[in-house]
Amino acid sequence: MSPIDENHLHADPGIESHHPSSGANGSVPALVAAGVRASPLQLQAATTIFQKGAPGRRAFICPDVDVPVLDASEFLPERFRRSEGPRLPEVSEPEIVRHYVGISKRNFDLDSGFYPLGSCTMKHNPRLHERVAALPGHARLHPLQDPERAQGALELMWNLQGALSEISGLPHVSLQPSAGSHGELAGVLLTRAYHEDRGESRHKVLTPDTAHGTNPATVTMAGFEVVKVATNENGGVDIEDLRAKADTDVACLMLTNPNTLGLFDPNISQIAEIVHGVGATLYYDGANLNAVMGLSRPGDMGFDIVHFNLHKSFTQPHGGGGPGSGPIAVSDRVAPYLPVPVLTRREDGTFALDHDRPKSIGRLRGFHGNYGCFVRSYAYICSLGGDGLKDASEAAVLNANYLLARLRQHGVAEYLPLAYGDLCMHEFVLSGGPMKRELEIKTLDLAKRLLDFGFHPPTVYFPLLVEEALMVEPTETETKETLDAFADTIAAILREASDDPEIARGAPYSTPVRRLDEVLAAKQPVIRQALG
Amino acid sequence: MSPIDENHLHADPGIESHHPSSGANGSVPALVAAGVRASPLQLQAATTIFQKGAPGRRAFICPDVDVPVLDASEFLPERFRRSEGPRLPEVSEPEIVRHYVGISKRNFDLDSGFYPLGSCTMKHNPRLHERVAALPGHARLHPLQDPERAQGALELMWNLQGALSEISGLPHVSLQPSAGSHGELAGVLLTRAYHEDRGESRHKVLTPDTAHGTNPATVTMAGFEVVKVATNENGGVDIEDLRAKADTDVACLMLTNPNTLGLFDPNISQIAEIVHGVGATLYYDGANLNAVMGLSRPGDMGFDIVHFNLHKSFTQPHGGGGPGSGPIAVSDRVAPYLPVPVLTRREDGTFALDHDRPKSIGRLRGFHGNYGCFVRSYAYICSLGGDGLKDASEAAVLNANYLLARLRQHGVAEYLPLAYGDLCMHEFVLSGGPMKRELEIKTLDLAKRLLDFGFHPPTVYFPLLVEEALMVEPTETETKETLDAFADTIAAILREASDDPEIARGAPYSTPVRRLDEVLAAKQPVIRQALG
Amino acid sequence: MLAAIGVDSLQEIFDRQIPPAVRLGRALELPDGLGEADVYEHLRALAARNTSTEDELSFLGAGMYDHYVPALIDMLMERSEFLTPYTPYQPEISQGGLQVMFEYQTAICELTALPVSNASVYEGPSAVAAAGYLAKLHNQASRFVVSAGMHPHTIQTLRTTAHGYGMDVLEVPLRDGVTDPDAWARAIDGNTSAAIFAQPNFYGAVEDAAALSAAAKGAGNPVVIAQVDPIALGVLKAPGECGVDVAVGEGQPLGNRLDFGGPSFGFFAAREEYLRRMPGRIAGETVDVDGRRGFVLTLQTREQHIRREKATSNICTSQALNALAGVAYLTWLGRRGIVELGELLLARTHYARERLAGLPGVEKLHEQPVIREFALRLDGNVAAIRRRCAEQGVNPGVDVQALSGREEDRGVLLVAITERRSRADIDRLSDVLAAAVAAETDASVPA
Amino acid sequence: MLAAIGVDSLQEIFDRQIPPAVRLGRALELPDGLGEADVYEHLRALAARNTSTEDELSFLGAGMYDHYVPALIDMLMERSEFLTPYTPYQPEISQGGLQVMFEYQTAICELTALPVSNASVYEGPSAVAAAGYLAKLHNQASRFVVSAGMHPHTIQTLRTTAHGYGMDVLEVPLRDGVTDPDAWARAIDGNTSAAIFAQPNFYGAVEDAAALSAAAKGAGNPVVIAQVDPIALGVLKAPGECGVDVAVGEGQPLGNRLDFGGPSFGFFAAREEYLRRMPGRIAGETVDVDGRRGFVLTLQTREQHIRREKATSNICTSQALNALAGVAYLTWLGRRGIVELGELLLARTHYARERLAGLPGVEKLHEQPVIREFALRLDGNVAAIRRRCAEQGVNPGVDVQALSGREEDRGVLLVAITERRSRADIDRLSDVLAAAVAAETDASVPA
Ligand SMILES: Cc1ncc(COP(=O)(O)O)c(C=O)c1O
Ligand SMILES: Cc1ncc(COP(=O)(O)O)c(C=O)c1O
């Protein structure tokens, strides 16, 4: 425990003075003049854990070797042995805690403020979910435990599958994919298997130009060619363009509905007809499911394959970039190709894993998927129930429309008009074009200036077809007071910019670091700590 | 979950605009000029949870009433019923989380930096302890569970008692007291019972003038009169004064050793002789035990009664002011008076609670004491073992002496001399007298200026007999780098003050709030949120 | 480091300070230290030998109750920022903890309908003792009059501490399950420092708090102290509305774990006139040099670190983290929730009492209204009946005599209901208890 | 709110956007919502029906291992600041997460002795598939050659994804427990895009990684990919020292829970030349406008959100929080600890193998050195033997044939050792397994 070690005991006090300081307290910040407010976080130079500690310090105490020790090479011949161990940090437990607690304070997070990041559904993460996921019966369950002795886990998965099936309106579910884009890959590979099984080899997949980047990237990875479909003036799929491109080379159309403009495509049934008409499948990117739970179902719209983002609609915490989970639901005709194993329920009500699925595309990863995420999302579904999920979607849409209305006020709408549509679903996209032209600040500047006010900015510069796009998704777990404060802050920043655009252009000011040089980072990549 | 409620749905958007904002994001801070760093925490006005939310919002969902409901007055007559329920907050779970996470950021804590608060032993709190304390077998164990079905808990308490006994050198332990001062009360009441049982009625208790405030306060609460004993020029008990005051009216001498000056009293054996010579007991305030674990034992020094602060020496986290735990250990002659129940071990190795102790002083509180704290401190003792505890004390003393040496450097020692002694034990006390006279900044100013550098200040203005006292206890879990940085910062602040004392006098600058008006708070006490 | 200190060895530091006679010349006789995983296993094995409320259907109460603790409370209590600081001696960097105290005080004032609250004391019984000490400081009278309906631990604790400063404790018996009003009025006189009762009382009965207060004030000038259950205050007339001067109680039911009895917190609220005699920390509102709202520890001249032997209490470390759990829990319940919870408990407790009292060999101890707990008298040995129930995985409640040691409590079982005990659970208790009582009756009838 | 929007009802918002034909005209057929306590009880009841490594003495491994997860990792993962943010798109307010990635990358580079690492991919088997895709992008050759010593899930995953882009997968058999060097060299040619093996392999054997790499390079120009166990790298020659181009693996053993198989993380390290073909996020160092050191997501032109159909991978959300656990764990182990742990596992694994292989009806599957896991061949039905052990509270390891479906794996048991399995535990396994094998032998002999 104690970070005092032999080395220190006898070291000359000066000897370690070249060592980087230990965390928040380690450095003597430049003395700031009286009356000037220094942000303590800005005064701390970023120091990695590899720059801390001292030889011999440690946290882990290895259990004694309680078995006979032979000549080491008996166990492992010298030539297989590492000459020098990995140069991991040498720090005591208190140093580890302080280091990571310290750098955690350099993160903004959902528990600290509004996070209207469009397309990401940053809804509140109830702590109950962490509690239940940590129960040893879930957290310390080995994935290769005999199914007979993991019936609780299998039942949970079964129930979750059932709920996702009901919500999507599609009868078959696989929980295996690890995130949304992994679900997409599964889905497109299913499409491939479906066509191949029918003896067809189709090589194109359609995606609208509003599609998220993972859609075309997935298409390529699954060995298809991307064909873009245009967006019409209302923000929906351009039906004429679709008709023109939908031929029998097309394996699939990937769509999200509402789409990334936050708009529900009113022609969805017609779209499905066209796609099915040429024998292709219709894929639903479920990233925007939070708009329609209990209100409208992809299966009923004609989709064949859906992926869910449990880390969006079903509140698995994002963890700063994962973990996520991307289950898929499919129609009967796609079901034979689902990844193995498939969870089945026996006559006696017990659950089993079926590996004997000759048409399956195979596995997409090890074991059963991100079970820990299933636990959390299942807890969420149990908490809300059917009506609660519908309430959540309704409130998400209400909040988005309310915030949109507040941003259509005088002083904002002139600079940040709604890109398409009138009402919206759970999110909306503004264009910063007029702002850029008239106030001479870009969407990026507005975003960075928001940081000074304790708001996470909306998604910026996506979707690509909107100039200087600002994509706002408030979610249902925000209060009206927060929405009002956000709208007021946007208005205030625009007013400020009309006085002096330099302020926004120089923002942020109060964050632990200010604007960072991304070009430098990419030009001369330094992607690990240099070690002495 | 969703904070959207009926009221909001139909409310005019303006209606709630008078509502206080919701947390970090709720208020539009005054726009700061470009280039000026604003501290985001300072921009947030403190808003209590009672000022947030809106009618109808809630987190708790009450289970349905699943039993027959009668006329309510059948259950409880109207006259016993409350007319209006308590006006608790009306907030959703996301609001609660954001509120408390938000205000937590307005706290400094041990995981965030150096906390050399003298007499408080702010050593690292290992997270393992929180994990084991949370196990349902500990955390959800009802205190009135039959002892036969709480054998694990009783064994843990037995083992902890044994360890405390070995560490203190006194054979009998009661874990019941809730904190240090509660242990003191127990100890002085034991002394009373001891003398009463011998037919003596003594009415004085001696405490040195360096004693912690709880010592004299306890003496009064236990119905004794406080008599102060002077401190000699070496910082120890003035033997002559002690001799003069030690008469047969004296029930007890309360001492801590090392004392609050961080000095081990070399005359301890003589002191014990004098006190025992007049038939009084010798009480050991265990707040400073961290200096001597495995090195010297109160029992061997001649003490009859000891209290431990599990939240100091045995790393139970302080929680911002508790919980703590203040077990006591006593010699054979005091044992008959220990609080009930007394834990016993039966022949067969099982444990029982003995309530049949006719000479006992009785109970000091409900149930068994702060068991959750026992779990943590027992885990600590298991982790360190006997040698580890000794190592901890040695490292604590080493760190204190090293920091003291660093603060005796040129540029510091002139202004902040060591008050007494030469070496120290686990802490030391500097005097800010010269600093006050020569640099015109007080110990309080130095303390406040330290806040701007991310350090918790030492204890200030205690012990009372040192002018402008600064009491520094680094503990064993700090690194040399941190000690060096702290010493350098003290030196830098003194240099800064010699240039311009106003800077320190106006400090702090970077904290969430700056110096607070304590006089106003006491003159016109506002101790709760006014409700509308 | 040694060179900087100017010593040759670590040993020298000790040799120069600790006389050889009092040095421990040997290693401590304690087991060797263990790695984290081994300590975890050891503590887990000990935990596994306890039967917790997770392991059986438990109706234990008598001061601590198995309410659900919402997960957000764990999260908050485990945040370093709340878990690891000391008492907020440096307010500029302790606004989080101080604001929590201020909010906590507000919540306790609301619960009790009294205008002042401190920031917590240790726990329930010692809170009553602390209130007694306040009364002593206030009026220097010579006797505490207490209802026998108080928790036995409370009376014992009060006696222990009162003995220190030479105060008498006089118990007033119950009649029909509540404090005997006549005996109460007779016991109180001009020498009565405090008149103390529990609401609901230890046997679950709702006392006529207003009548007890009025009678006490009529018979003398004592400080009227009530030990109250905080959950019951969602539906029960508040102490401040009943003429009570000081209301204290055990805070565990408010978002704190059982923890085999602690740590939890004691709450302490009073009328304005007692403000400057309150024990413990109090957070107060003020402003900083720039006019920002802020909080500090206030009225510190009451406290031991300033007033030493003249302090209103010796308390120093109290229960800040547990009080945080308390205010977070009350916030989670919310204004409507606390009433709904109270109504649920009322209805279920009533149901349970009627159902169990209908069993052969089981009767109500009293007919008074009950809120969350009630006492039954069993025809048979309570310990034996409880053992039989335990074999069925049911803990039917507290064996009162084992707790109180009082002869008149023989046969008494105290059954507590929380929102975690559904009707189905109560029905199961009923079946198991019925069988256990019947079996015990059979067993005790000589063949 | 409705007035501000300019609608009369919430319904109107939907009516104006969703065509009636695709509206769900009924309530979802899902159970009613539950309060927090009830959800907790439900999930707890499900958990109680699983036999976890807390409930039995488990020697399960095969990719995921029951190492001790230090408590500080839970604390860090539960801090809101790490738990709840999105991918760090706004670096100024995401320095915490970005620095963690940077430190994580450093640790992975150290472990693997390779110069570049990304910030995580999903998990082990799909990491191999991702490495295969990198090879495809790199050389556009037509075939993957893989050792049959890879985890069956890995081979299956690779086949699934390779089929998408039309790549062949050719398996090279084992000889004496390791990849047959002759078959390996024969299988690899100019059309080989990648040559892939596992270290240690699925059966626990240490491969001669340097020889496999050299042979592969000698036979063609494939990208050499190794799937490595990260814990073993404390003692085992690092991939970067063995001529490996890309090292990937399952990160679960590094401070992640078992979680019935996920979430964990996959690590992905490579030689410099593959940097711009790496999948996923990469954090890089830079400076802010004031010259302060800072971190950003870098080389984003590889990624889907910039490059879309030309991206090096479709991965978006990966496993940041699990990677945090990984680097925190490696830091906790420390430079000395990881070596000590490796030596402990070597010694205990050796002991266990010798001890178990000495039992009647039990023999080693191969004689190769093993580090943390080893395969045995049992004389009897593995499923039946495992059932007998389970009755004694021992899970002796993985039934390999049940996992792989391969005929040649009949009778094979894979036994994993961690620091949580002491010598006493191994001795217990030995006794229980001996009895189970003997009983099974008796049972299968016709009377
Ligand atoms: C519309 C859309 N599709 C797909 C994805 C990819 O999901 P994931 O990050 O889970 O892989 C995202 C994520 O941002 C998205 O917004
Ligand atoms: C020397 C000394 N004695 C007694 C105490 C009182 O201990 P507690 O706060 O646990 O009541 C303290 C606490 O600061 C102390 O420093």
Side-chain angles (χ1 to χ4, degrees), chain D residues 16-50:
Chain D
R16 282 169 52 186
Q17 297 189 88
I18 307 184
V22 295
R23 259 187 253 151
L24 181 66
R26 58 166 178 86
L28 286 173
E29 284 176 13
L30 292 175
D32 286 344
L34 296 172
E36 181 172 329
D38 290 331
V39 177
Y40 173 77
E41 280 309 326
H42 176 48
L43 278 279
R44 194 174 78 81
L46 289 171
R49 288 172 48 217
N50 299 324

Short mmCIF file of all heavy atoms in Angstrom, two decimals, chain D residues 16-50:
data_model
loop_
_atom_site.label_atom_id
_atom_site.label_comp_id
_atom_site.label_asym_id
_atom_site.label_seq_id
_atom_site.Cartn_x
_atom_site.Cartn_y
_atom_site.Cartn_z
N ARG D 16 -49.08 14.14 -37.66
CA ARG D 16 -48.59 14.89 -38.80
C ARG D 16 -47.34 14.28 -39.42
O ARG D 16 -46.86 14.76 -40.45
CB ARG D 16 -48.34 16.35 -38.39
CG ARG D 16 -49.66 17.14 -38.32
CD ARG D 16 -49.53 18.50 -37.67
NE ARG D 16 -48.47 19.31 -38.24
CZ ARG D 16 -48.10 20.51 -37.73
NH1 ARG D 16 -48.73 20.99 -36.67
NH2 ARG D 16 -47.14 21.19 -38.29
N GLN D 17 -46.77 13.27 -38.78
CA GLN D 17 -45.52 12.73 -39.32
C GLN D 17 -45.58 11.25 -39.70
O GLN D 17 -44.93 10.85 -40.66
CB GLN D 17 -44.38 12.96 -38.31
CG GLN D 17 -44.11 14.44 -38.08
CD GLN D 17 -42.85 14.65 -37.25
OE1 GLN D 17 -41.75 14.74 -37.79
NE2 GLN D 17 -43.00 14.71 -35.95
N ILE D 18 -46.26 10.46 -38.93
CA ILE D 18 -46.24 9.02 -39.20
C ILE D 18 -47.51 8.60 -39.91
O ILE D 18 -48.60 8.78 -39.38
CB ILE D 18 -46.09 8.21 -37.89
CG1 ILE D 18 -44.88 8.71 -37.09
CG2 ILE D 18 -45.98 6.72 -38.18
CD1 ILE D 18 -44.60 7.92 -35.82
N PRO D 19 -47.38 8.03 -41.10
CA PRO D 19 -48.58 7.62 -41.84
C PRO D 19 -49.36 6.57 -41.01
O PRO D 19 -48.74 5.72 -40.38
CB PRO D 19 -48.03 6.99 -43.12
CG PRO D 19 -46.62 7.43 -43.22
CD PRO D 19 -46.14 7.73 -41.85
N PRO D 20 -50.69 6.66 -41.06
CA PRO D 20 -51.51 5.73 -40.27
C PRO D 20 -51.15 4.27 -40.54
O PRO D 20 -51.15 3.45 -39.62
CB PRO D 20 -52.92 6.03 -40.73
CG PRO D 20 -52.88 7.40 -41.32
CD PRO D 20 -51.48 7.63 -41.82
N ALA D 21 -50.80 3.96 -41.77
CA ALA D 21 -50.57 2.55 -42.12
C ALA D 21 -49.44 1.92 -41.33
O ALA D 21 -49.42 0.72 -41.10
CB ALA D 21 -50.26 2.44 -43.62
N VAL D 22 -48.49 2.71 -40.93
CA VAL D 22 -47.35 2.13 -40.21
C VAL D 22 -47.37 2.52 -38.74
O VAL D 22 -46.36 2.41 -38.05
CB VAL D 22 -46.00 2.52 -40.85
CG1 VAL D 22 -45.89 1.91 -42.25
CG2 VAL D 22 -45.79 4.02 -40.90
N ARG D 23 -48.51 2.99 -38.27
CA ARG D 23 -48.60 3.26 -36.83
C ARG D 23 -49.00 1.99 -36.10
O ARG D 23 -49.82 1.22 -36.59
CB ARG D 23 -49.61 4.37 -36.57
CG ARG D 23 -48.89 5.68 -36.31
CD ARG D 23 -49.85 6.75 -35.89
NE ARG D 23 -50.04 7.67 -36.99
CZ ARG D 23 -51.14 8.37 -37.20
NH1 ARG D 23 -52.19 8.21 -36.40
NH2 ARG D 23 -51.20 9.20 -38.21
N LEU D 24 -48.45 1.81 -34.94
CA LEU D 24 -48.83 0.66 -34.11
C LEU D 24 -50.09 1.05 -33.35
O LEU D 24 -50.05 1.86 -32.45
CB LEU D 24 -47.71 0.31 -33.14
CG LEU D 24 -47.96 -0.89 -32.23
CD1 LEU D 24 -48.06 -2.18 -33.05
CD2 LEU D 24 -46.86 -1.02 -31.18
N GLY D 25 -51.17 0.47 -33.72
CA GLY D 25 -52.43 0.90 -33.14
C GLY D 25 -52.77 0.23 -31.82
O GLY D 25 -53.93 0.22 -31.40
N ARG D 26 -51.82 -0.30 -31.17
CA ARG D 26 -52.10 -1.00 -29.92
C ARG D 26 -50.91 -0.81 -28.97
O ARG D 26 -49.87 -0.30 -29.37
CB ARG D 26 -52.29 -2.50 -30.18
CG ARG D 26 -51.07 -3.15 -30.84
CD ARG D 26 -51.13 -4.67 -30.80
NE ARG D 26 -50.00 -5.29 -31.47
CZ ARG D 26 -48.83 -5.53 -30.91
NH1 ARG D 26 -48.58 -5.15 -29.67
NH2 ARG D 26 -47.86 -6.14 -31.60
N ALA D 27 -51.10 -1.21 -27.74
CA ALA D 27 -49.99 -1.13 -26.78
C ALA D 27 -49.01 -2.25 -27.08
O ALA D 27 -49.38 -3.30 -27.61
CB ALA D 27 -50.52 -1.26 -25.36
N LEU D 28 -47.76 -2.02 -26.77
CA LEU D 28 -46.76 -3.09 -26.89
C LEU D 28 -47.13 -4.22 -25.93
O LEU D 28 -47.54 -3.97 -24.80
CB LEU D 28 -45.37 -2.57 -26.52
CG LEU D 28 -44.68 -1.67 -27.54
CD1 LEU D 28 -43.38 -1.11 -26.96
CD2 LEU D 28 -44.39 -2.42 -28.84
N GLU D 29 -46.97 -5.44 -26.41
CA GLU D 29 -47.27 -6.57 -25.53
C GLU D 29 -46.05 -6.93 -24.70
O GLU D 29 -45.30 -7.87 -25.00
CB GLU D 29 -47.75 -7.76 -26.36
CG GLU D 29 -49.17 -7.56 -26.82
CD GLU D 29 -49.67 -8.67 -27.72
OE1 GLU D 29 -49.00 -9.71 -27.79
OE2 GLU D 29 -50.72 -8.47 -28.36
N LEU D 30 -45.84 -6.11 -23.72
CA LEU D 30 -44.73 -6.32 -22.79
C LEU D 30 -45.29 -6.19 -21.39
O LEU D 30 -46.30 -5.53 -21.17
CB LEU D 30 -43.65 -5.25 -23.01
CG LEU D 30 -42.88 -5.32 -24.33
CD1 LEU D 30 -41.94 -4.12 -24.44
CD2 LEU D 30 -42.08 -6.62 -24.41
N PRO D 31 -44.63 -6.81 -20.42
CA PRO D 31 -45.11 -6.66 -19.04
C PRO D 31 -45.15 -5.19 -18.63
O PRO D 31 -44.43 -4.36 -19.20
CB PRO D 31 -44.07 -7.43 -18.23
CG PRO D 31 -43.40 -8.36 -19.19
CD PRO D 31 -43.46 -7.67 -20.52
N ASP D 32 -45.98 -4.89 -17.65
CA ASP D 32 -46.03 -3.53 -17.11
C ASP D 32 -44.69 -3.15 -16.50
O ASP D 32 -43.93 -4.01 -16.05
CB ASP D 32 -47.09 -3.44 -16.01
CG ASP D 32 -48.49 -3.44 -16.61
OD1 ASP D 32 -48.62 -3.22 -17.82
OD2 ASP D 32 -49.44 -3.68 -15.84
N GLY D 33 -44.43 -1.88 -16.46
CA GLY D 33 -43.22 -1.39 -15.82
C GLY D 33 -43.22 -1.69 -14.33
O GLY D 33 -44.27 -1.88 -13.72
N LEU D 34 -42.03 -1.75 -13.76
CA LEU D 34 -41.87 -2.07 -12.34
C LEU D 34 -41.04 -1.00 -11.66
O LEU D 34 -40.20 -0.35 -12.29
CB LEU D 34 -41.14 -3.41 -12.19
CG LEU D 34 -41.81 -4.65 -12.73
CD1 LEU D 34 -40.84 -5.84 -12.66
CD2 LEU D 34 -43.08 -4.96 -11.94
N GLY D 35 -41.24 -0.86 -10.37
CA GLY D 35 -40.39 0.02 -9.58
C GLY D 35 -39.00 -0.57 -9.44
O GLY D 35 -38.78 -1.76 -9.70
N GLU D 36 -38.08 0.26 -9.00
CA GLU D 36 -36.68 -0.15 -8.94
C GLU D 36 -36.47 -1.40 -8.09
O GLU D 36 -35.74 -2.32 -8.47
CB GLU D 36 -35.82 1.01 -8.43
CG GLU D 36 -34.36 0.64 -8.37
CD GLU D 36 -33.42 1.78 -8.06
OE1 GLU D 36 -33.68 2.94 -8.42
OE2 GLU D 36 -32.37 1.50 -7.45
N ALA D 37 -37.11 -1.45 -6.94
CA ALA D 37 -36.90 -2.59 -6.04
C ALA D 37 -37.37 -3.89 -6.70
O ALA D 37 -36.74 -4.94 -6.54
CB ALA D 37 -37.62 -2.36 -4.73
N ASP D 38 -38.46 -3.82 -7.43
CA ASP D 38 -38.98 -5.03 -8.06
C ASP D 38 -38.09 -5.48 -9.22
O ASP D 38 -37.89 -6.68 -9.43
CB ASP D 38 -40.41 -4.79 -8.57
CG ASP D 38 -41.39 -4.64 -7.41
OD1 ASP D 38 -41.15 -5.25 -6.35
OD2 ASP D 38 -42.39 -3.92 -7.57
N VAL D 39 -37.58 -4.53 -9.97
CA VAL D 39 -36.65 -4.90 -11.04
C VAL D 39 -35.41 -5.54 -10.44
O VAL D 39 -34.92 -6.57 -10.92
CB VAL D 39 -36.27 -3.67 -11.90
CG1 VAL D 39 -35.25 -4.06 -12.96
CG2 VAL D 39 -37.51 -3.07 -12.54
N TYR D 40 -34.93 -4.95 -9.37
CA TYR D 40 -33.77 -5.53 -8.70
C TYR D 40 -34.06 -6.98 -8.30
O TYR D 40 -33.25 -7.88 -8.57
CB TYR D 40 -33.40 -4.71 -7.46
CG TYR D 40 -32.31 -5.35 -6.64
CD1 TYR D 40 -30.98 -5.30 -7.05
CD2 TYR D 40 -32.61 -6.05 -5.48
CE1 TYR D 40 -29.98 -5.92 -6.32
CE2 TYR D 40 -31.62 -6.68 -4.74
CZ TYR D 40 -30.30 -6.61 -5.16
OH TYR D 40 -29.32 -7.24 -4.45
N GLU D 41 -35.20 -7.21 -7.69
CA GLU D 41 -35.53 -8.57 -7.25
C GLU D 41 -35.59 -9.54 -8.43
O GLU D 41 -35.13 -10.67 -8.34
CB GLU D 41 -36.86 -8.59 -6.49
CG GLU D 41 -36.76 -8.13 -5.05
CD GLU D 41 -35.67 -8.83 -4.25
OE1 GLU D 41 -35.39 -10.03 -4.48
OE2 GLU D 41 -35.05 -8.16 -3.40
N HIS D 42 -36.17 -9.09 -9.50
CA HIS D 42 -36.30 -9.95 -10.68
C HIS D 42 -34.91 -10.31 -11.23
O HIS D 42 -34.62 -11.48 -11.50
CB HIS D 42 -37.14 -9.23 -11.73
CG HIS D 42 -37.26 -9.96 -13.03
ND1 HIS D 42 -37.60 -11.30 -13.12
CD2 HIS D 42 -37.11 -9.54 -14.31
CE1 HIS D 42 -37.63 -11.66 -14.39
NE2 HIS D 42 -37.32 -10.62 -15.13
N LEU D 43 -34.08 -9.32 -11.38
CA LEU D 43 -32.75 -9.59 -11.95
C LEU D 43 -31.88 -10.38 -10.98
O LEU D 43 -31.02 -11.17 -11.39
CB LEU D 43 -32.04 -8.27 -12.30
CG LEU D 43 -32.36 -7.58 -13.63
CD1 LEU D 43 -31.58 -8.21 -14.77
CD2 LEU D 43 -33.81 -7.48 -13.95
N ARG D 44 -32.12 -10.19 -9.70
CA ARG D 44 -31.39 -10.96 -8.71
C ARG D 44 -31.82 -12.43 -8.76
O ARG D 44 -31.00 -13.34 -8.64
CB ARG D 44 -31.66 -10.39 -7.32
CG ARG D 44 -30.71 -10.89 -6.26
CD ARG D 44 -30.95 -10.17 -4.95
NE ARG D 44 -32.10 -10.69 -4.28
CZ ARG D 44 -32.09 -11.82 -3.54
NH1 ARG D 44 -30.97 -12.51 -3.41
NH2 ARG D 44 -33.17 -12.23 -2.94
N ALA D 45 -33.10 -12.63 -8.93
CA ALA D 45 -33.60 -14.00 -9.00
C ALA D 45 -33.02 -14.70 -10.23
O ALA D 45 -32.64 -15.88 -10.17
CB ALA D 45 -35.13 -14.00 -9.05
N LEU D 46 -32.92 -14.00 -11.33
CA LEU D 46 -32.30 -14.59 -12.52
C LEU D 46 -30.82 -14.91 -12.25
O LEU D 46 -30.33 -15.99 -12.58
CB LEU D 46 -32.43 -13.65 -13.73
CG LEU D 46 -33.84 -13.50 -14.32
CD1 LEU D 46 -33.87 -12.37 -15.35
CD2 LEU D 46 -34.32 -14.81 -14.94
N ALA D 47 -30.13 -13.97 -11.63
CA ALA D 47 -28.71 -14.18 -11.33
C ALA D 47 -28.53 -15.41 -10.45
O ALA D 47 -27.57 -16.18 -10.59
CB ALA D 47 -28.11 -12.95 -10.66
N ALA D 48 -29.48 -15.59 -9.53
CA ALA D 48 -29.36 -16.70 -8.58
C ALA D 48 -29.49 -18.05 -9.28
O ALA D 48 -29.12 -19.08 -8.72
CB ALA D 48 -30.42 -16.55 -7.49
N ARG D 49 -30.01 -18.04 -10.50
CA ARG D 49 -30.16 -19.31 -11.22
C ARG D 49 -28.95 -19.61 -12.10
O ARG D 49 -28.96 -20.55 -12.89
CB ARG D 49 -31.46 -19.30 -12.01
CG ARG D 49 -32.67 -19.43 -11.04
CD ARG D 49 -33.98 -19.23 -11.74
NE ARG D 49 -34.03 -20.03 -12.93
CZ ARG D 49 -34.60 -19.65 -14.07
NH1 ARG D 49 -35.17 -18.47 -14.15
NH2 ARG D 49 -34.59 -20.45 -15.12
N ASN D 50 -27.91 -18.82 -11.96
CA ASN D 50 -26.66 -19.09 -12.66
C ASN D 50 -25.61 -19.55 -11.66
O ASN D 50 -25.55 -19.03 -10.55
CB ASN D 50 -26.15 -17.80 -13.32
CG ASN D 50 -27.12 -17.26 -14.34
OD1 ASN D 50 -27.79 -18.02 -15.05
ND2 ASN D 50 -27.22 -15.94 -14.43
#
